[in-house]
Amino acid sequence: IGIYALIVYLRHKKRLFFIYISDEDNQNLVFRFYHIQLLMQKCNTYKIPFDAFKKYEITKHDKGTDLILYQRMGNNQMAKYSAISLNALKDDDIQQIKDLLNQHC
């Protein structure tokens, strides 16, 4: 039981997410992500209109890789979304995300 609890704890600590990104909506970029753990939490969703999507950053640090999104707001202000962990993705998957987002920047 102790080993199982340790494995569950380490998976939770790694911040692994199942991520779905789509532009099939024809109006919005849709980002859905679920934390990968024993009991799945509810889906978090970001919907950003194409014309409001400003930029993105992919940052690497000691805990892994994160995707940060920026949306243009009124009065030339910019909103920054909470980071989405990309730790569960391979380099090829991250490149596909970059390609998709570069089409809309």
Side-chain angles (χ1 to χ4, degrees), residues 81-95:
Y81 285 86
S82 298
I84 302 171
S85 175
L86 302 179
N87 293 341
L89 301 180
K90 298 177 186 171
D91 289 338
D92 294 342
D93 298 329
I94 293 173
Q95 186 60 47

Side-chain angles (χ1 to χ4, degrees), residues 1-33:
I1 292 174
I3 293 172
Y4 178 74
L6 179 64
I7 291 170
V8 169
Y9 172 75
L10 291 176
R11 285 188 81 186
H12 180 73
K13 188 174 175 150
K14 281 180 116 178
R15 296 180 17 192
L16 299 177
F17 287 92
F18 168 75
I19 301 168
Y20 171 78
I21 300 174
S22 173
D23 64 350
E24 296 171 3
D25 176 308
N26 293 329
Q27 295 179 6
N28 300 300
L29 283 168
V30 179
F31 301 84
R32 288 192 175 93
F33 49 101

Side-chain angles (χ1 to χ4, degrees), residues 20-69:
Y20 171 78
I21 300 174
S22 173
D23 64 350
E24 296 171 3
D25 176 308
N26 293 329
Q27 295 179 6
N28 300 300
L29 283 168
V30 179
F31 301 84
R32 288 192 175 93
F33 49 101
Y34 301 84
H35 192 282
I36 299 172
Q37 60 183 6
L38 183 61
L39 301 172
M40 296 289 282
Q41 294 178 347
K42 69 176 190 163
C43 170
N44 293 317
T45 302
Y46 297 158
K47 270 191 167 184
I48 304 175
F50 290 141
D51 58 346
F53 181 65
K54 180 67 176 169
K55 67 177 184 174
Y56 71 94
E57 291 178 11
I58 295 181
T59 60
K60 294 187 179 196
H61 47 83
D62 58 337
K63 291 187 179 182
T65 305
D66 289 336
L67 171 65
I68 302 171
L69 305 167

